[in-house]
Amino acid sequence: MRYISTRGEAPALGFEDVLLTGLAPDGGLYVPESLPHFSLEEIRSWRGLPYTQLAFNIMYPFVEEAIPEADFRHMLDETYAAFAHKAVAPLVQLDTNEWVMELFRGPTLAFKDFALQLLGRLLDYVLEKRQEHAVIMGATSGDTGSAAIEGCRHCEHVDIFILHPYQRVSEVQRRQMTTVLGDNVHNIAIKGNFDDCQRMVKESFGDQSFLGGKARLAAVNSINWARIMAQIVYYFHASLALGGPDRSMAFSVPTGNFGDIFAGYLAKKMGLPISQLVIATNRNDILHRFMSGNKYEQHQLEHTLSPSMDIMVSSNFERLLFDLHGRDGLAVKELLENASKGPVSIEDYRWKQARKLFDSAAVDDKATCATIREVYEQNEYLLDPHTAIGVRAARTCRRDVEIPMITLGTAHPAKFPDAITESGLTVKPELPAHMADLFEREERYTVLDNDRAGVQDFIAKHWKNA
Ligand SMILES: *Cc1c(COP(=O)(O)O)cnc(C)c1O
């Protein structure tokens, strides 16, 4: 499998290089040159398979030149054995034909574990083979940081530095990162905001000379193709559990960077019957505004009760734009260069094509809380605020009640207790058993000024072979 850039000017790469590279040198994102396609008969034959076996069938075509079959199976077994539910991605029923797929049974209680626990293993495998060392530098406003740290804590060939804004992440989120005490784990609290952290990471990727050429910088955000790949699997898993592929399914996906829902779009292209994909956003609704009116325009960032979806632009949307433009990288490049200067639109027939693929809804904090309350009253089931946005959007956009509607449950409610309180409920979401002592564990992190040179100096001095 070869991977090409969405901006058409970078050389095609194999899986190993795509894994280690992150952003393409022309500023684009990597996508597979072509997708595997599975027949209904083949998909049907996967009914009843354990999660890891299904994951192997779906993902192996993407990695086969880089990783022998037995090694990849072993990696998948280890990754998903660390989840706290035997079904890995269990379904919970809310109503007739209405479901939540719980993607928060992994070690850090958010769906990002599905990809990041695997990514750590993939990185270590490839780096071992090449006898190289990587330094991961990432910025987080919460979930990505903890999942990436958990995914890399046992890596021999990786040091991970995660920047979070000092005193601006929730206590649960901070402790999930800072209580991981591995020698290769480095938490940095920056005296600034999330954008300051992100800017520092971006600039460091642009000029890696502070590492003295002894290690390469690797990315763990969802521009990394391996993350998207791992998220395709659970769409198949849910469908097969509910009568697919002989019935079509609808999915509602709480969306920030468009990574998770893009994986659903790929599942459909790979042969899974999906009749509806709902983009669910919070007040940061650039995607919903684009889907409603063909205008792609950045607004000011709003802080909401669903912080993991607080974004101004959706980086993975570029991957969809590439397909909508007939995979013409130069057209995408021009469009996105214009988009960084002001609002843009795409040709009407392309936009109509996007509208055929996706429905969308934006859900504000008030409606998020109302949904948390409503579902608790109807089902005694607690939703986290991100999942609540998905459920609300599913109920708003649903087209056919005979088709199962599955909302992706992206986080455990105990990660976001403030939203539950805000909803007027008096129940307290409990942390699962494996995390019950989170508030007693020792924390370790370094507070640094909002100064790039100082942070780079810290990294240069603290990675393993420094
Ligand atoms: C990251 C995240 C999202 C958004 O996912 P994208 O792939 O960025 O669209 C939604 N909910 C939760 C809880 C998350 O952590």
PDB file of all heavy atoms in Angstrom, residues 109-112 143-144 222 227 231 253-261 308-309 311 314 316 384 386-387 410-411 415-416, ligand 1:
ATOM      1  N   LEU A 109     -10.074   5.998  29.073  1.00  0.00           N
ATOM      2  CA  LEU A 109     -11.506   6.305  29.086  1.00  0.00           C
ATOM      3  C   LEU A 109     -12.006   7.213  27.965  1.00  0.00           C
ATOM      4  O   LEU A 109     -13.014   7.899  28.115  1.00  0.00           O
ATOM      5  CB  LEU A 109     -11.914   6.931  30.443  1.00  0.00           C
ATOM      6  CG  LEU A 109     -11.440   6.246  31.718  1.00  0.00           C
ATOM      7  CD1 LEU A 109     -12.004   6.961  32.932  1.00  0.00           C
ATOM      8  CD2 LEU A 109     -11.846   4.782  31.734  1.00  0.00           C
ATOM      9  N   ALA A 110     -11.300   7.242  26.832  1.00  0.00           N
ATOM     10  CA  ALA A 110     -11.850   7.945  25.670  1.00  0.00           C
ATOM     11  C   ALA A 110     -11.524   7.130  24.411  1.00  0.00           C
ATOM     12  O   ALA A 110     -10.633   6.279  24.425  1.00  0.00           O
ATOM     13  CB  ALA A 110     -11.267   9.354  25.549  1.00  0.00           C
ATOM     14  N   PHE A 111     -12.251   7.397  23.333  1.00  0.00           N
ATOM     15  CA  PHE A 111     -12.094   6.557  22.136  1.00  0.00           C
ATOM     16  C   PHE A 111     -10.684   6.638  21.560  1.00  0.00           C
ATOM     17  O   PHE A 111     -10.274   5.764  20.800  1.00  0.00           O
ATOM     18  CB  PHE A 111     -13.121   6.949  21.062  1.00  0.00           C
ATOM     19  CG  PHE A 111     -12.713   8.109  20.212  1.00  0.00           C
ATOM     20  CD1 PHE A 111     -11.996   7.893  19.029  1.00  0.00           C
ATOM     21  CD2 PHE A 111     -13.002   9.407  20.565  1.00  0.00           C
ATOM     22  CE1 PHE A 111     -11.598   8.957  18.236  1.00  0.00           C
ATOM     23  CE2 PHE A 111     -12.603  10.476  19.774  1.00  0.00           C
ATOM     24  CZ  PHE A 111     -11.890  10.253  18.611  1.00  0.00           C
ATOM     25  N   LYS A 112      -9.940   7.660  21.931  1.00  0.00           N
ATOM     26  CA  LYS A 112      -8.595   7.811  21.367  1.00  0.00           C
ATOM     27  C   LYS A 112      -7.686   6.634  21.725  1.00  0.00           C
ATOM     28  O   LYS A 112      -6.708   6.387  21.043  1.00  0.00           O
ATOM     29  CB  LYS A 112      -7.991   9.143  21.800  1.00  0.00           C
ATOM     30  CG  LYS A 112      -8.735  10.319  21.165  1.00  0.00           C
ATOM     31  CD  LYS A 112      -8.091  11.646  21.441  1.00  0.00           C
ATOM     32  CE  LYS A 112      -8.731  12.764  20.636  1.00  0.00           C
ATOM     33  NZ  LYS A 112     -10.095  13.117  21.122  1.00  0.00           N
ATOM     34  N   ASP A 143      -7.733  14.919  26.256  1.00  0.00           N
ATOM     35  CA  ASP A 143      -7.777  13.476  25.987  1.00  0.00           C
ATOM     36  C   ASP A 143      -6.603  12.917  25.191  1.00  0.00           C
ATOM     37  O   ASP A 143      -6.139  11.809  25.451  1.00  0.00           O
ATOM     38  CB  ASP A 143      -9.069  13.121  25.247  1.00  0.00           C
ATOM     39  CG  ASP A 143     -10.290  13.362  26.105  1.00  0.00           C
ATOM     40  OD1 ASP A 143     -10.142  13.380  27.341  1.00  0.00           O
ATOM     41  OD2 ASP A 143     -11.373  13.538  25.539  1.00  0.00           O
ATOM     42  N   THR A 144      -6.132  13.647  24.195  1.00  0.00           N
ATOM     43  CA  THR A 144      -5.059  13.105  23.357  1.00  0.00           C
ATOM     44  C   THR A 144      -3.813  12.846  24.185  1.00  0.00           C
ATOM     45  O   THR A 144      -3.157  11.811  24.040  1.00  0.00           O
ATOM     46  CB  THR A 144      -4.700  14.072  22.218  1.00  0.00           C
ATOM     47  OG1 THR A 144      -5.885  14.356  21.496  1.00  0.00           O
ATOM     48  CG2 THR A 144      -3.684  13.471  21.272  1.00  0.00           C
ATOM     49  N   SER A 222      -4.236  13.548  15.146  1.00  0.00           N
ATOM     50  CA  SER A 222      -4.955  12.706  14.183  1.00  0.00           C
ATOM     51  C   SER A 222      -4.578  13.002  12.734  1.00  0.00           C
ATOM     52  O   SER A 222      -5.172  12.444  11.822  1.00  0.00           O
ATOM     53  CB  SER A 222      -6.465  12.792  14.393  1.00  0.00           C
ATOM     54  OG  SER A 222      -6.917  14.106  14.231  1.00  0.00           O
ATOM     55  N   ARG A 227      -3.798   6.528  13.048  1.00  0.00           N
ATOM     56  CA  ARG A 227      -4.923   6.735  13.956  1.00  0.00           C
ATOM     57  C   ARG A 227      -6.249   6.529  13.241  1.00  0.00           C
ATOM     58  O   ARG A 227      -7.163   5.882  13.763  1.00  0.00           O
ATOM     59  CB  ARG A 227      -4.866   8.132  14.580  1.00  0.00           C
ATOM     60  CG  ARG A 227      -3.861   8.187  15.710  1.00  0.00           C
ATOM     61  CD  ARG A 227      -3.936   9.468  16.492  1.00  0.00           C
ATOM     62  NE  ARG A 227      -5.260   9.743  17.039  1.00  0.00           N
ATOM     63  CZ  ARG A 227      -5.550  10.823  17.739  1.00  0.00           C
ATOM     64  NH1 ARG A 227      -4.601  11.721  17.977  1.00  0.00           N
ATOM     65  NH2 ARG A 227      -6.759  11.027  18.201  1.00  0.00           N
ATOM     66  N   GLN A 231      -9.477   3.353  13.598  1.00  0.00           N
ATOM     67  CA  GLN A 231     -10.856   3.719  13.939  1.00  0.00           C
ATOM     68  C   GLN A 231     -11.873   3.190  12.936  1.00  0.00           C
ATOM     69  O   GLN A 231     -13.077   3.259  13.174  1.00  0.00           O
ATOM     70  CB  GLN A 231     -10.953   5.251  14.073  1.00  0.00           C
ATOM     71  CG  GLN A 231     -10.178   5.723  15.297  1.00  0.00           C
ATOM     72  CD  GLN A 231      -9.968   7.224  15.361  1.00  0.00           C
ATOM     73  OE1 GLN A 231      -9.126   7.680  16.104  1.00  0.00           O
ATOM     74  NE2 GLN A 231     -10.686   7.996  14.572  1.00  0.00           N
ATOM     75  N   VAL A 253     -21.643  10.906  15.000  1.00  0.00           N
ATOM     76  CA  VAL A 253     -20.269  10.962  15.498  1.00  0.00           C
ATOM     77  C   VAL A 253     -19.932  12.346  16.067  1.00  0.00           C
ATOM     78  O   VAL A 253     -19.887  13.331  15.333  1.00  0.00           O
ATOM     79  CB  VAL A 253     -19.273  10.633  14.355  1.00  0.00           C
ATOM     80  CG1 VAL A 253     -17.863  10.501  14.908  1.00  0.00           C
ATOM     81  CG2 VAL A 253     -19.677   9.360  13.619  1.00  0.00           C
ATOM     82  N   PRO A 254     -19.697  12.429  17.384  1.00  0.00           N
ATOM     83  CA  PRO A 254     -19.239  13.693  17.982  1.00  0.00           C
ATOM     84  C   PRO A 254     -17.902  14.081  17.348  1.00  0.00           C
ATOM     85  O   PRO A 254     -16.950  13.309  17.405  1.00  0.00           O
ATOM     86  CB  PRO A 254     -19.061  13.347  19.466  1.00  0.00           C
ATOM     87  CG  PRO A 254     -19.862  12.094  19.687  1.00  0.00           C
ATOM     88  CD  PRO A 254     -19.822  11.355  18.397  1.00  0.00           C
ATOM     89  N   THR A 255     -17.841  15.255  16.751  1.00  0.00           N
ATOM     90  CA  THR A 255     -16.726  15.556  15.850  1.00  0.00           C
ATOM     91  C   THR A 255     -15.969  16.810  16.255  1.00  0.00           C
ATOM     92  O   THR A 255     -16.572  17.829  16.598  1.00  0.00           O
ATOM     93  CB  THR A 255     -17.272  15.738  14.411  1.00  0.00           C
ATOM     94  OG1 THR A 255     -18.010  14.568  14.062  1.00  0.00           O
ATOM     95  CG2 THR A 255     -16.140  15.938  13.424  1.00  0.00           C
ATOM     96  N   GLY A 256     -14.637  16.710  16.204  1.00  0.00           N
ATOM     97  CA  GLY A 256     -13.770  17.868  16.406  1.00  0.00           C
ATOM     98  C   GLY A 256     -12.883  18.026  15.195  1.00  0.00           C
ATOM     99  O   GLY A 256     -13.131  18.835  14.304  1.00  0.00           O
ATOM    100  N   ASN A 257     -11.858  17.214  15.125  1.00  0.00           N
ATOM    101  CA  ASN A 257     -10.911  17.279  14.013  1.00  0.00           C
ATOM    102  C   ASN A 257     -11.299  16.429  12.810  1.00  0.00           C
ATOM    103  O   ASN A 257     -10.502  16.239  11.905  1.00  0.00           O
ATOM    104  CB  ASN A 257      -9.526  16.846  14.494  1.00  0.00           C
ATOM    105  CG  ASN A 257      -8.654  18.063  14.752  1.00  0.00           C
ATOM    106  OD1 ASN A 257      -8.792  19.069  14.074  1.00  0.00           O
ATOM    107  ND2 ASN A 257      -7.772  17.968  15.729  1.00  0.00           N
ATOM    108  N   PHE A 258     -12.504  15.871  12.821  1.00  0.00           N
ATOM    109  CA  PHE A 258     -13.028  15.099  11.686  1.00  0.00           C
ATOM    110  C   PHE A 258     -12.288  13.780  11.481  1.00  0.00           C
ATOM    111  O   PHE A 258     -12.385  13.162  10.436  1.00  0.00           O
ATOM    112  CB  PHE A 258     -12.965  15.937  10.386  1.00  0.00           C
ATOM    113  CG  PHE A 258     -13.963  15.519   9.331  1.00  0.00           C
ATOM    114  CD1 PHE A 258     -15.306  15.821   9.470  1.00  0.00           C
ATOM    115  CD2 PHE A 258     -13.557  14.824   8.201  1.00  0.00           C
ATOM    116  CE1 PHE A 258     -16.230  15.430   8.502  1.00  0.00           C
ATOM    117  CE2 PHE A 258     -14.479  14.424   7.220  1.00  0.00           C
ATOM    118  CZ  PHE A 258     -15.815  14.739   7.373  1.00  0.00           C
ATOM    119  N   GLY A 259     -11.559  13.306  12.505  1.00  0.00           N
ATOM    120  CA  GLY A 259     -10.836  12.052  12.339  1.00  0.00           C
ATOM    121  C   GLY A 259     -11.759  10.846  12.461  1.00  0.00           C
ATOM    122  O   GLY A 259     -11.790   9.969  11.593  1.00  0.00           O
ATOM    123  N   ASP A 260     -12.539  10.821  13.540  1.00  0.00           N
ATOM    124  CA  ASP A 260     -13.377   9.673  13.825  1.00  0.00           C
ATOM    125  C   ASP A 260     -14.433   9.482  12.730  1.00  0.00           C
ATOM    126  O   ASP A 260     -14.656   8.378  12.243  1.00  0.00           O
ATOM    127  CB  ASP A 260     -14.054   9.914  15.189  1.00  0.00           C
ATOM    128  CG  ASP A 260     -14.260   8.631  15.960  1.00  0.00           C
ATOM    129  OD1 ASP A 260     -13.827   7.572  15.474  1.00  0.00           O
ATOM    130  OD2 ASP A 260     -14.868   8.704  17.036  1.00  0.00           O
ATOM    131  N   ILE A 261     -15.056  10.551  12.316  1.00  0.00           N
ATOM    132  CA  ILE A 261     -16.121  10.404  11.302  1.00  0.00           C
ATOM    133  C   ILE A 261     -15.512  10.108   9.930  1.00  0.00           C
ATOM    134  O   ILE A 261     -16.108   9.409   9.110  1.00  0.00           O
ATOM    135  CB  ILE A 261     -17.059  11.625  11.263  1.00  0.00           C
ATOM    136  CG1 ILE A 261     -18.294  11.286  10.422  1.00  0.00           C
ATOM    137  CG2 ILE A 261     -16.361  12.881  10.776  1.00  0.00           C
ATOM    138  CD1 ILE A 261     -19.493  12.138  10.660  1.00  0.00           C
ATOM    139  N   SER A 308     -13.128  18.520  24.265  1.00  0.00           N
ATOM    140  CA  SER A 308     -12.366  17.763  23.272  1.00  0.00           C
ATOM    141  C   SER A 308     -12.861  18.027  21.855  1.00  0.00           C
ATOM    142  O   SER A 308     -12.272  17.548  20.894  1.00  0.00           O
ATOM    143  CB  SER A 308     -12.444  16.267  23.565  1.00  0.00           C
ATOM    144  OG  SER A 308     -11.943  16.030  24.864  1.00  0.00           O
ATOM    145  N   MET A 309     -13.942  18.780  21.734  1.00  0.00           N
ATOM    146  CA  MET A 309     -14.435  19.172  20.413  1.00  0.00           C
ATOM    147  C   MET A 309     -14.307  20.671  20.200  1.00  0.00           C
ATOM    148  O   MET A 309     -14.859  21.207  19.235  1.00  0.00           O
ATOM    149  CB  MET A 309     -15.897  18.739  20.260  1.00  0.00           C
ATOM    150  CG  MET A 309     -16.048  17.221  20.198  1.00  0.00           C
ATOM    151  SD  MET A 309     -17.680  16.650  20.692  1.00  0.00           S
ATOM    152  CE  MET A 309     -18.697  17.345  19.409  1.00  0.00           C
ATOM    153  N   ILE A 311     -12.589  23.246  18.678  1.00  0.00           N
ATOM    154  CA  ILE A 311     -11.575  23.497  17.642  1.00  0.00           C
ATOM    155  C   ILE A 311     -12.090  24.617  16.725  1.00  0.00           C
ATOM    156  O   ILE A 311     -13.289  24.852  16.636  1.00  0.00           O
ATOM    157  CB  ILE A 311     -11.298  22.244  16.779  1.00  0.00           C
ATOM    158  CG1 ILE A 311     -12.614  21.625  16.299  1.00  0.00           C
ATOM    159  CG2 ILE A 311     -10.518  21.188  17.537  1.00  0.00           C
ATOM    160  CD1 ILE A 311     -13.082  22.072  15.002  1.00  0.00           C
ATOM    161  N   SER A 314     -10.934  21.985  11.341  1.00  0.00           N
ATOM    162  CA  SER A 314     -10.891  20.534  11.464  1.00  0.00           C
ATOM    163  C   SER A 314      -9.827  19.993  10.529  1.00  0.00           C
ATOM    164  O   SER A 314     -10.049  19.922   9.326  1.00  0.00           O
ATOM    165  CB  SER A 314     -12.234  19.957  11.032  1.00  0.00           C
ATOM    166  OG  SER A 314     -13.098  19.899  12.093  1.00  0.00           O
ATOM    167  N   ASN A 316      -8.561  17.084   9.693  1.00  0.00           N
ATOM    168  CA  ASN A 316      -8.804  15.941   8.794  1.00  0.00           C
ATOM    169  C   ASN A 316      -9.827  16.200   7.704  1.00  0.00           C
ATOM    170  O   ASN A 316      -9.985  15.383   6.798  1.00  0.00           O
ATOM    171  CB  ASN A 316      -9.277  14.732   9.599  1.00  0.00           C
ATOM    172  CG  ASN A 316      -8.124  14.009  10.219  1.00  0.00           C
ATOM    173  OD1 ASN A 316      -7.293  13.447   9.525  1.00  0.00           O
ATOM    174  ND2 ASN A 316      -8.041  14.076  11.537  1.00  0.00           N
ATOM    175  N   ASP A 384     -21.562  11.166  28.728  1.00  0.00           N
ATOM    176  CA  ASP A 384     -20.612  12.266  28.864  1.00  0.00           C
ATOM    177  C   ASP A 384     -21.064  13.358  27.887  1.00  0.00           C
ATOM    178  O   ASP A 384     -21.864  13.099  26.981  1.00  0.00           O
ATOM    179  CB  ASP A 384     -19.185  11.768  28.572  1.00  0.00           C
ATOM    180  CG  ASP A 384     -18.733  12.151  27.181  1.00  0.00           C
ATOM    181  OD1 ASP A 384     -19.237  11.537  26.219  1.00  0.00           O
ATOM    182  OD2 ASP A 384     -17.930  13.090  27.040  1.00  0.00           O
ATOM    183  N   HIS A 386     -19.735  14.867  25.343  1.00  0.00           N
ATOM    184  CA  HIS A 386     -19.453  14.677  23.909  1.00  0.00           C
ATOM    185  C   HIS A 386     -20.438  13.683  23.302  1.00  0.00           C
ATOM    186  O   HIS A 386     -21.009  13.918  22.237  1.00  0.00           O
ATOM    187  CB  HIS A 386     -18.014  14.188  23.716  1.00  0.00           C
ATOM    188  CG  HIS A 386     -16.994  15.068  24.363  1.00  0.00           C
ATOM    189  ND1 HIS A 386     -16.708  14.991  25.704  1.00  0.00           N
ATOM    190  CD2 HIS A 386     -16.214  16.048  23.860  1.00  0.00           C
ATOM    191  CE1 HIS A 386     -15.796  15.895  26.005  1.00  0.00           C
ATOM    192  NE2 HIS A 386     -15.473  16.552  24.905  1.00  0.00           N
ATOM    193  N   THR A 387     -20.637  12.564  24.016  1.00  0.00           N
ATOM    194  CA  THR A 387     -21.577  11.562  23.538  1.00  0.00           C
ATOM    195  C   THR A 387     -22.995  12.138  23.496  1.00  0.00           C
ATOM    196  O   THR A 387     -23.776  11.838  22.581  1.00  0.00           O
ATOM    197  CB  THR A 387     -21.526  10.320  24.452  1.00  0.00           C
ATOM    198  OG1 THR A 387     -20.158   9.925  24.599  1.00  0.00           O
ATOM    199  CG2 THR A 387     -22.317   9.170  23.870  1.00  0.00           C
ATOM    200  N   THR A 410     -17.886   8.619  22.943  1.00  0.00           N
ATOM    201  CA  THR A 410     -16.460   8.909  22.818  1.00  0.00           C
ATOM    202  C   THR A 410     -15.726   9.042  24.145  1.00  0.00           C
ATOM    203  O   THR A 410     -14.505   8.970  24.164  1.00  0.00           O
ATOM    204  CB  THR A 410     -16.230  10.172  21.960  1.00  0.00           C
ATOM    205  OG1 THR A 410     -17.024  11.236  22.476  1.00  0.00           O
ATOM    206  CG2 THR A 410     -16.610   9.915  20.512  1.00  0.00           C
ATOM    207  N   ALA A 411     -16.426   9.279  25.242  1.00  0.00           N
ATOM    208  CA  ALA A 411     -15.722   9.383  26.531  1.00  0.00           C
ATOM    209  C   ALA A 411     -16.597   8.863  27.668  1.00  0.00           C
ATOM    210  O   ALA A 411     -17.827   8.863  27.584  1.00  0.00           O
ATOM    211  CB  ALA A 411     -15.307  10.824  26.813  1.00  0.00           C
ATOM    212  N   LYS A 415     -15.055  11.351  33.237  1.00  0.00           N
ATOM    213  CA  LYS A 415     -14.000  12.270  32.803  1.00  0.00           C
ATOM    214  C   LYS A 415     -14.482  13.716  32.823  1.00  0.00           C
ATOM    215  O   LYS A 415     -13.674  14.635  32.861  1.00  0.00           O
ATOM    216  CB  LYS A 415     -13.586  11.925  31.362  1.00  0.00           C
ATOM    217  CG  LYS A 415     -12.384  11.031  31.285  1.00  0.00           C
ATOM    218  CD  LYS A 415     -11.824  10.961  29.875  1.00  0.00           C
ATOM    219  CE  LYS A 415     -10.362  11.363  29.889  1.00  0.00           C
ATOM    220  NZ  LYS A 415      -9.598  10.837  28.747  1.00  0.00           N
ATOM    221  N   PHE A 416     -15.791  13.903  32.763  1.00  0.00           N
ATOM    222  CA  PHE A 416     -16.341  15.261  32.658  1.00  0.00           C
ATOM    223  C   PHE A 416     -17.465  15.481  33.659  1.00  0.00           C
ATOM    224  O   PHE A 416     -18.614  15.731  33.279  1.00  0.00           O
ATOM    225  CB  PHE A 416     -16.818  15.522  31.212  1.00  0.00           C
ATOM    226  CG  PHE A 416     -15.715  15.366  30.210  1.00  0.00           C
ATOM    227  CD1 PHE A 416     -15.548  14.178  29.517  1.00  0.00           C
ATOM    228  CD2 PHE A 416     -14.806  16.396  29.990  1.00  0.00           C
ATOM    229  CE1 PHE A 416     -14.507  14.015  28.610  1.00  0.00           C
ATOM    230  CE2 PHE A 416     -13.753  16.245  29.083  1.00  0.00           C
ATOM    231  CZ  PHE A 416     -13.604  15.058  28.394  1.00  0.00           C
TER     232      PHE A 416
HETATM  233  C1  LIG B   1     -11.064  13.749  20.341  1.00  0.00           C
HETATM  234  C2  LIG B   1     -12.460  13.644  20.822  1.00  0.00           C
HETATM  235  C3  LIG B   1     -13.561  13.914  19.970  1.00  0.00           C
HETATM  236  C4  LIG B   1     -13.393  14.401  18.553  1.00  0.00           C
HETATM  237  O1  LIG B   1     -12.831  13.445  17.693  1.00  0.00           O
HETATM  238  P1  LIG B   1     -12.257  13.853  16.272  1.00  0.00           P
HETATM  239  O2  LIG B   1     -11.652  12.616  15.711  1.00  0.00           O
HETATM  240  O3  LIG B   1     -11.240  14.933  16.533  1.00  0.00           O
HETATM  241  O4  LIG B   1     -13.388  14.366  15.463  1.00  0.00           O
HETATM  242  C5  LIG B   1     -14.833  13.718  20.483  1.00  0.00           C
HETATM  243  N1  LIG B   1     -15.040  13.321  21.755  1.00  0.00           N
HETATM  244  C6  LIG B   1     -14.018  13.060  22.597  1.00  0.00           C
HETATM  245  C7  LIG B   1     -14.308  12.638  23.985  1.00  0.00           C
HETATM  246  C8  LIG B   1     -12.694  13.201  22.167  1.00  0.00           C
HETATM  247  O5  LIG B   1     -11.680  12.949  23.016  1.00  0.00           O
END
